[in-house]
mmCIF file of all heavy atoms in Angstrom:
data_model
loop_
_atom_site.group_PDB
_atom_site.id
_atom_site.type_symbol
_atom_site.label_atom_id
_atom_site.label_comp_id
_atom_site.label_asym_id
_atom_site.label_seq_id
_atom_site.Cartn_x
_atom_site.Cartn_y
_atom_site.Cartn_z
ATOM 1 N N LEU E 1481 0.740 -1.154 0.038
ATOM 2 C CA LEU E 1481 0.032 0.064 -0.020
ATOM 3 C C LEU E 1481 0.918 1.161 -0.009
ATOM 4 O O LEU E 1481 0.531 2.286 -0.589
ATOM 5 C CB LEU E 1481 -0.971 0.056 1.165
ATOM 6 C CG LEU E 1481 -1.963 -1.155 1.273
ATOM 7 C CD1 LEU E 1481 -2.820 -1.024 2.570
ATOM 8 C CD2 LEU E 1481 -2.878 -1.271 0.044
ATOM 9 N N ALA E 1482 2.019 1.286 0.643
ATOM 10 C CA ALA E 1482 2.830 2.417 0.632
ATOM 11 C C ALA E 1482 3.305 2.760 -0.754
ATOM 12 O O ALA E 1482 3.355 3.998 -1.027
ATOM 13 C CB ALA E 1482 4.143 2.080 1.454
ATOM 14 N N SER E 1483 3.563 1.850 -1.618
ATOM 15 C CA SER E 1483 4.067 2.227 -2.927
ATOM 16 C C SER E 1483 2.831 2.805 -3.730
ATOM 17 O O SER E 1483 3.004 3.735 -4.552
ATOM 18 C CB SER E 1483 4.706 1.020 -3.704
ATOM 19 O OG SER E 1483 5.912 0.740 -3.183
ATOM 20 N N PHE E 1484 1.710 2.218 -3.614
ATOM 21 C CA PHE E 1484 0.551 2.743 -4.256
ATOM 22 C C PHE E 1484 0.373 4.265 -3.808
ATOM 23 O O PHE E 1484 0.027 5.129 -4.579
ATOM 24 C CB PHE E 1484 -0.789 1.939 -3.979
ATOM 25 C CG PHE E 1484 -0.685 0.567 -4.723
ATOM 26 C CD1 PHE E 1484 -0.607 -0.655 -4.055
ATOM 27 C CD2 PHE E 1484 -0.898 0.523 -6.033
ATOM 28 C CE1 PHE E 1484 -0.523 -1.767 -4.650
ATOM 29 C CE2 PHE E 1484 -0.873 -0.692 -6.745
ATOM 30 C CZ PHE E 1484 -0.755 -1.907 -6.121
ATOM 31 N N ALA E 1485 0.510 4.492 -2.516
ATOM 32 C CA ALA E 1485 0.271 5.734 -2.033
ATOM 33 C C ALA E 1485 1.416 6.734 -2.532
ATOM 34 O O ALA E 1485 1.108 7.947 -2.730
ATOM 35 C CB ALA E 1485 0.228 5.746 -0.502
ATOM 36 N N ARG E 1486 2.569 6.244 -2.703
ATOM 37 C CA ARG E 1486 3.701 7.024 -3.103
ATOM 38 C C ARG E 1486 3.427 7.530 -4.641
ATOM 39 O O ARG E 1486 3.625 8.636 -4.908
ATOM 40 C CB ARG E 1486 4.921 6.177 -3.039
ATOM 41 C CG ARG E 1486 6.141 6.639 -3.885
ATOM 42 C CD ARG E 1486 7.416 5.945 -3.644
ATOM 43 N NE ARG E 1486 7.345 4.480 -3.782
ATOM 44 C CZ ARG E 1486 7.573 3.815 -4.843
ATOM 45 N NH1 ARG E 1486 7.894 4.487 -5.901
ATOM 46 N NH2 ARG E 1486 7.482 2.393 -4.941
ATOM 47 N N TYR E 1487 2.881 6.536 -5.301
ATOM 48 C CA TYR E 1487 2.604 6.910 -6.782
ATOM 49 C C TYR E 1487 1.474 7.954 -6.729
ATOM 50 O O TYR E 1487 1.408 8.823 -7.513
ATOM 51 C CB TYR E 1487 2.290 5.650 -7.583
ATOM 52 C CG TYR E 1487 3.552 4.999 -8.138
ATOM 53 C CD1 TYR E 1487 4.048 3.965 -7.654
ATOM 54 C CD2 TYR E 1487 4.121 5.559 -9.324
ATOM 55 C CE1 TYR E 1487 5.146 3.336 -8.259
ATOM 56 C CE2 TYR E 1487 5.312 4.930 -9.830
ATOM 57 C CZ TYR E 1487 5.868 3.834 -9.220
ATOM 58 O OH TYR E 1487 6.950 3.213 -9.740
ATOM 59 N N GLY E 1488 0.565 7.679 -5.797
ATOM 60 C CA GLY E 1488 -0.661 8.544 -5.862
ATOM 61 C C GLY E 1488 -0.257 10.004 -5.448
ATOM 62 O O GLY E 1488 -0.831 10.932 -6.017
ATOM 63 N N ALA E 1489 0.682 10.029 -4.568
ATOM 64 C CA ALA E 1489 1.114 11.342 -4.273
ATOM 65 C C ALA E 1489 1.882 12.140 -5.254
ATOM 66 O O ALA E 1489 1.831 13.320 -5.482
ATOM 67 C CB ALA E 1489 1.956 11.388 -2.906
ATOM 68 N N GLY E 1490 2.562 11.302 -6.185
ATOM 69 C CA GLY E 1490 3.212 11.894 -7.286
ATOM 70 C C GLY E 1490 2.460 12.183 -8.546
ATOM 71 O O GLY E 1490 2.820 12.881 -9.475
ATOM 72 N N GLY E 1491 1.220 11.672 -8.589
ATOM 73 C CA GLY E 1491 0.334 11.876 -9.717
ATOM 74 C C GLY E 1491 0.337 10.648 -10.612
ATOM 75 O O GLY E 1491 1.283 10.248 -11.105
ATOM 76 N N VAL E 1492 -0.909 10.094 -10.800
ATOM 77 C CA VAL E 1492 -1.116 8.949 -11.682
ATOM 78 C C VAL E 1492 -2.068 9.301 -12.659
ATOM 79 O O VAL E 1492 -3.292 9.857 -12.482
ATOM 80 C CB VAL E 1492 -1.683 7.732 -10.831
ATOM 81 C CG1 VAL E 1492 -2.122 6.614 -11.638
ATOM 82 C CG2 VAL E 1492 -0.687 7.249 -9.776
ATOM 83 N N LEU E 1493 -1.717 9.137 -14.001
ATOM 84 C CA LEU E 1493 -2.502 9.418 -15.137
ATOM 85 C C LEU E 1493 -3.788 8.419 -15.214
ATOM 86 O O LEU E 1493 -4.812 8.993 -15.305
ATOM 87 C CB LEU E 1493 -1.811 9.253 -16.411
ATOM 88 C CG LEU E 1493 -2.513 9.421 -17.729
ATOM 89 C CD1 LEU E 1493 -2.819 10.876 -17.788
ATOM 90 C CD2 LEU E 1493 -1.590 8.944 -18.989
ATOM 91 N N ALA E 1494 -3.525 7.169 -15.016
ATOM 92 C CA ALA E 1494 -4.697 6.307 -15.161
ATOM 93 C C ALA E 1494 -4.468 4.960 -14.327
ATOM 94 O O ALA E 1494 -3.393 4.627 -14.077
ATOM 95 C CB ALA E 1494 -4.800 5.843 -16.676
ATOM 96 N N LEU E 1495 -5.539 4.487 -13.798
ATOM 97 C CA LEU E 1495 -5.561 3.315 -12.974
ATOM 98 C C LEU E 1495 -6.444 2.223 -13.740
ATOM 99 O O LEU E 1495 -7.527 2.462 -14.105
ATOM 100 C CB LEU E 1495 -6.080 3.488 -11.694
ATOM 101 C CG LEU E 1495 -6.484 2.301 -10.690
ATOM 102 C CD1 LEU E 1495 -5.110 1.627 -10.411
ATOM 103 C CD2 LEU E 1495 -7.234 2.607 -9.520
ATOM 104 N N LEU E 1496 -5.837 1.046 -13.975
ATOM 105 C CA LEU E 1496 -6.558 -0.092 -14.552
ATOM 106 C C LEU E 1496 -6.683 -1.016 -13.330
ATOM 107 O O LEU E 1496 -5.708 -1.576 -12.793
ATOM 108 C CB LEU E 1496 -5.870 -0.752 -15.625
ATOM 109 C CG LEU E 1496 -5.912 -0.068 -17.052
ATOM 110 C CD1 LEU E 1496 -5.141 1.279 -17.043
ATOM 111 C CD2 LEU E 1496 -5.267 -0.974 -18.179
ATOM 112 N N ALA E 1497 -7.940 -1.347 -12.816
ATOM 113 C CA ALA E 1497 -8.081 -2.090 -11.609
ATOM 114 C C ALA E 1497 -9.039 -3.298 -11.775
ATOM 115 O O ALA E 1497 -10.058 -3.219 -12.561
ATOM 116 C CB ALA E 1497 -8.596 -1.163 -10.601
ATOM 117 N N ASP E 1498 -8.739 -4.227 -11.166
ATOM 118 C CA ASP E 1498 -9.546 -5.607 -11.133
ATOM 119 C C ASP E 1498 -10.886 -5.420 -10.602
ATOM 120 O O ASP E 1498 -11.218 -4.734 -9.561
ATOM 121 C CB ASP E 1498 -8.737 -6.528 -10.042
ATOM 122 C CG ASP E 1498 -9.458 -7.843 -9.802
ATOM 123 O OD1 ASP E 1498 -10.244 -8.226 -10.712
ATOM 124 O OD2 ASP E 1498 -9.100 -8.581 -8.952
ATOM 125 N N SER E 1499 -11.886 -5.815 -11.391
ATOM 126 C CA SER E 1499 -13.380 -5.570 -11.187
ATOM 127 C C SER E 1499 -14.060 -6.892 -10.759
ATOM 128 O O SER E 1499 -15.230 -6.796 -10.500
ATOM 129 C CB SER E 1499 -13.956 -4.961 -12.363
ATOM 130 O OG SER E 1499 -13.281 -3.843 -12.863
ATOM 131 N N THR E 1500 -13.433 -8.013 -10.517
ATOM 132 C CA THR E 1500 -14.048 -9.263 -10.393
ATOM 133 C C THR E 1500 -15.141 -9.266 -9.317
ATOM 134 O O THR E 1500 -16.238 -9.772 -9.407
ATOM 135 C CB THR E 1500 -13.062 -10.340 -10.192
ATOM 136 O OG1 THR E 1500 -11.975 -10.368 -11.239
ATOM 137 C CG2 THR E 1500 -13.745 -11.774 -10.164
ATOM 138 N N ASN E 1501 -14.704 -8.680 -8.120
ATOM 139 C CA ASN E 1501 -15.471 -8.741 -6.923
ATOM 140 C C ASN E 1501 -16.322 -7.526 -6.669
ATOM 141 O O ASN E 1501 -16.647 -7.234 -5.501
ATOM 142 C CB ASN E 1501 -14.676 -9.159 -5.621
ATOM 143 C CG ASN E 1501 -14.815 -10.692 -5.463
ATOM 144 O OD1 ASN E 1501 -15.331 -11.543 -6.260
ATOM 145 N ND2 ASN E 1501 -14.184 -11.165 -4.367
ATOM 146 N N VAL E 1502 -16.424 -6.596 -7.571
ATOM 147 C CA VAL E 1502 -17.088 -5.283 -7.371
ATOM 148 C C VAL E 1502 -18.479 -5.405 -6.791
ATOM 149 O O VAL E 1502 -18.983 -4.398 -6.164
ATOM 150 C CB VAL E 1502 -16.965 -4.478 -8.596
ATOM 151 C CG1 VAL E 1502 -17.971 -5.022 -9.702
ATOM 152 C CG2 VAL E 1502 -17.256 -2.928 -8.328
ATOM 153 N N GLU E 1503 -19.146 -6.473 -7.083
ATOM 154 C CA GLU E 1503 -20.469 -6.582 -6.551
ATOM 155 C C GLU E 1503 -20.574 -6.968 -5.061
ATOM 156 O O GLU E 1503 -21.626 -7.037 -4.437
ATOM 157 C CB GLU E 1503 -21.239 -7.595 -7.435
ATOM 158 C CG GLU E 1503 -21.455 -7.161 -8.855
ATOM 159 C CD GLU E 1503 -22.183 -8.225 -9.655
ATOM 160 O OE1 GLU E 1503 -21.975 -9.380 -9.578
ATOM 161 O OE2 GLU E 1503 -23.030 -7.747 -10.492
ATOM 162 N N ARG E 1504 -19.537 -7.364 -4.506
ATOM 163 C CA ARG E 1504 -19.375 -7.860 -3.061
ATOM 164 C C ARG E 1504 -19.115 -6.693 -2.126
ATOM 165 O O ARG E 1504 -18.140 -5.927 -2.367
ATOM 166 C CB ARG E 1504 -18.344 -8.853 -2.870
ATOM 167 C CG ARG E 1504 -18.622 -10.156 -3.547
ATOM 168 C CD ARG E 1504 -17.682 -11.294 -3.070
ATOM 169 N NE ARG E 1504 -17.851 -12.567 -3.743
ATOM 170 C CZ ARG E 1504 -17.199 -13.622 -3.499
ATOM 171 N NH1 ARG E 1504 -16.362 -13.662 -2.502
ATOM 172 N NH2 ARG E 1504 -17.537 -14.742 -4.078
ATOM 173 N N GLU E 1505 -19.986 -6.461 -1.152
ATOM 174 C CA GLU E 1505 -19.828 -5.399 -0.311
ATOM 175 C C GLU E 1505 -18.830 -5.829 0.748
ATOM 176 O O GLU E 1505 -18.337 -6.918 0.943
ATOM 177 C CB GLU E 1505 -21.131 -5.017 0.479
ATOM 178 C CG GLU E 1505 -22.254 -4.484 -0.509
ATOM 179 C CD GLU E 1505 -23.525 -4.333 0.316
ATOM 180 O OE1 GLU E 1505 -23.627 -4.582 1.555
ATOM 181 O OE2 GLU E 1505 -24.447 -3.758 -0.255
ATOM 182 N N GLY E 1506 -18.298 -4.703 1.442
ATOM 183 C CA GLY E 1506 -17.226 -4.936 2.486
ATOM 184 C C GLY E 1506 -15.874 -5.383 2.091
ATOM 185 O O GLY E 1506 -15.340 -4.828 0.980
ATOM 186 N N TYR E 1507 -15.272 -6.251 2.877
ATOM 187 C CA TYR E 1507 -13.911 -6.619 2.568
ATOM 188 C C TYR E 1507 -13.767 -8.152 2.354
ATOM 189 O O TYR E 1507 -14.665 -8.963 2.841
ATOM 190 C CB TYR E 1507 -12.984 -6.328 3.788
ATOM 191 C CG TYR E 1507 -12.805 -4.955 4.094
ATOM 192 C CD1 TYR E 1507 -13.756 -4.354 4.957
ATOM 193 C CD2 TYR E 1507 -11.820 -4.201 3.654
ATOM 194 C CE1 TYR E 1507 -13.695 -3.015 5.310
ATOM 195 C CE2 TYR E 1507 -11.580 -2.910 3.992
ATOM 196 C CZ TYR E 1507 -12.596 -2.253 4.836
ATOM 197 O OH TYR E 1507 -12.428 -0.944 5.058
ATOM 198 N N THR E 1508 -12.859 -8.591 1.431
ATOM 199 C CA THR E 1508 -12.668 -10.150 1.155
ATOM 200 C C THR E 1508 -11.971 -10.621 2.327
ATOM 201 O O THR E 1508 -11.086 -10.123 2.931
ATOM 202 C CB THR E 1508 -11.890 -10.289 -0.016
ATOM 203 O OG1 THR E 1508 -12.606 -9.754 -1.197
ATOM 204 C CG2 THR E 1508 -11.630 -11.684 -0.351
ATOM 205 N N LEU E 1509 -12.432 -11.944 2.909
ATOM 206 C CA LEU E 1509 -11.829 -12.510 3.970
ATOM 207 C C LEU E 1509 -10.383 -12.891 3.704
ATOM 208 O O LEU E 1509 -10.068 -13.174 2.587
ATOM 209 C CB LEU E 1509 -12.647 -13.713 4.335
ATOM 210 C CG LEU E 1509 -14.048 -13.650 4.871
ATOM 211 C CD1 LEU E 1509 -14.829 -14.851 5.003
ATOM 212 C CD2 LEU E 1509 -14.075 -12.858 6.094
ATOM 213 N N SER E 1510 -9.584 -12.988 4.656
ATOM 214 C CA SER E 1510 -8.262 -13.301 4.640
ATOM 215 C C SER E 1510 -8.049 -14.779 4.291
ATOM 216 O O SER E 1510 -8.909 -15.574 4.682
ATOM 217 C CB SER E 1510 -7.484 -13.041 5.911
ATOM 218 O OG SER E 1510 -6.242 -13.612 5.995
ATOM 219 N N GLU E 1511 -6.991 -15.136 3.630
ATOM 220 C CA GLU E 1511 -6.727 -16.529 3.299
ATOM 221 C C GLU E 1511 -6.668 -17.352 4.589
ATOM 222 O O GLU E 1511 -6.957 -18.635 4.588
ATOM 223 C CB GLU E 1511 -5.457 -16.709 2.502
ATOM 224 C CG GLU E 1511 -4.933 -17.997 2.166
ATOM 225 C CD GLU E 1511 -5.880 -18.860 1.272
ATOM 226 O OE1 GLU E 1511 -6.740 -18.053 0.484
ATOM 227 O OE2 GLU E 1511 -5.916 -20.054 1.330
ATOM 228 N N ARG E 1512 -6.283 -16.754 5.730
ATOM 229 C CA ARG E 1512 -5.997 -17.480 6.900
ATOM 230 C C ARG E 1512 -7.309 -18.076 7.404
ATOM 231 O O ARG E 1512 -7.226 -19.110 8.246
ATOM 232 C CB ARG E 1512 -5.342 -16.487 8.050
ATOM 233 C CG ARG E 1512 -3.899 -16.331 7.886
ATOM 234 C CD ARG E 1512 -3.378 -15.642 9.081
ATOM 235 N NE ARG E 1512 -1.946 -15.160 8.848
ATOM 236 C CZ ARG E 1512 -0.809 -16.004 9.157
ATOM 237 N NH1 ARG E 1512 -1.034 -17.145 9.604
ATOM 238 N NH2 ARG E 1512 0.381 -15.554 8.787
ATOM 239 N N VAL E 1513 -8.412 -17.553 6.965
ATOM 240 C CA VAL E 1513 -9.697 -18.137 7.426
ATOM 241 C C VAL E 1513 -9.864 -19.557 6.945
ATOM 242 O O VAL E 1513 -10.407 -20.337 7.602
ATOM 243 C CB VAL E 1513 -10.852 -17.253 6.795
ATOM 244 C CG1 VAL E 1513 -12.203 -17.983 7.112
ATOM 245 C CG2 VAL E 1513 -10.848 -15.855 7.498
#
């Protein structure tokens, strides 16, 4: 997350992001579950 924030602070032209679970509310459970 620190590197994503670093780029965000420097300016990002475009973000291409994974949409697979966009219909699910909240957070995805951890693999440890």
Side-chain angles (χ1 to χ4, degrees):
L1481 300 180
S1483 287
F1484 286 109
R1486 166 169 54 90
Y1487 276 103
V1492 171
L1493 176 66
L1495 171 67
L1496 284 68
D1498 176 15
S1499 308
T1500 307
N1501 265 3
V1502 69
E1503 293 179 318
R1504 292 191 182 184
E1505 297 179 352
Y1507 298 86
T1508 301
L1509 293 173
S1510 170
E1511 177 65 25
R1512 285 189 185 271
V1513 170

